[in-house]
Amino acid sequence: MTKNEAARPRTRITSSATFSSAHRLHNPSRDEEWNRAVFGKCNNPHGHGHTYGIEVTVEGPVDPEKGWVLDFADLKRIVSERIVRKCDCRNLNTDVDFLEGVIPTAENLAVRFWDEIAPHVAPARLVELVLHETERNRVVYRGGA
């Protein structure tokens, strides 16, 4: 960060989107009995679906010429291109290349979605991703291991 950037106010902006996907929670390295016991109804061989909500928050210094950290339209486009278009009306176990080999729990999805979005939000930086699996259940991920 330059001295000029450090002197500028830092703000955060958030963009939200929804998409609908199917998935099955299943660990192929374990037997059927284990998978049924651990994942219960979410282990249905035919899968089940959710209407997910995603909130992506980025942070950065306010650009003195533009008056923003990142154009909201750009953030919305990034989320749409990187996540929504790839996941909407898809089976997360079989149809999304960046999820190959991943058990599609909300936690794993949040981490993979972060990896898909973070490199594309410069000059801002991704600081939080919230994935709503249901109205009552959500994952908050702030990066890192």
Side-chain angles (χ1 to χ4, degrees), residues 56-142:
V56 175
T57 301
V58 299
E59 174 184 79
V62 176
D63 183 298
E65 293 181 318
K66 297 176 183 173
W68 60 43
V69 172
L70 183 69
D71 187 344
F72 275 109
D74 288 339
L75 184 55
K76 179 180 177 181
R77 177 187 48 75
I78 292 163
V79 173
S80 179
E81 288 176 359
R82 306 304 307 177
I83 306 301
V84 176
R85 288 184 192 168
K86 293 179 179 183
C87 296
D88 193 35
C89 299
R90 302 283 195 276
N91 182 315
L92 300 178
N93 297 82
T94 60
D95 299 339
V96 181
D97 61 348
F98 68 85
L99 296 175
E100 187 175 334
V102 173
I103 300 171
T105 61
E107 295 89 340
N108 282 338
L109 294 176
V111 171
R112 290 300 177 103
F113 291 171
W114 178 285
D115 293 343
E116 282 294 302
I117 294 169
H120 302 281
V121 296
R125 70 179 182 90
L126 185 57
V127 294
E128 184 173 85
L129 187 147
V130 179
L131 182 66
H132 298 260
E133 186 175 68
T134 68
E135 290 180 10
R136 294 188 177 104
N137 299 325
R138 69 177 182 255
V139 173
V140 177
Y141 184 60
R142 294 189 176 109

Side-chain angles (χ1 to χ4, degrees), residues 21-75:
S21 300
H23 70 158
R24 178 187 189 203
L25 300 186
H26 184 83
N27 184 335
S29 69
R30 301 301 296 255
D31 65 23
E32 293 296 326
E33 183 179 336
W34 183 92
N35 276 285
R36 280 191 302 273
V38 170
F39 298 121
K41 67 182 180 180
C42 296
N43 183 246
N44 179 343
H46 302 290
H48 65 282
H50 297 282
T51 298
Y52 292 92
I54 185 171
E55 299 172 20
V56 175
T57 301
V58 299
E59 174 184 79
V62 176
D63 183 298
E65 293 181 318
K66 297 176 183 173
W68 60 43
V69 172
L70 183 69
D71 187 344
F72 275 109
D74 288 339
L75 184 55

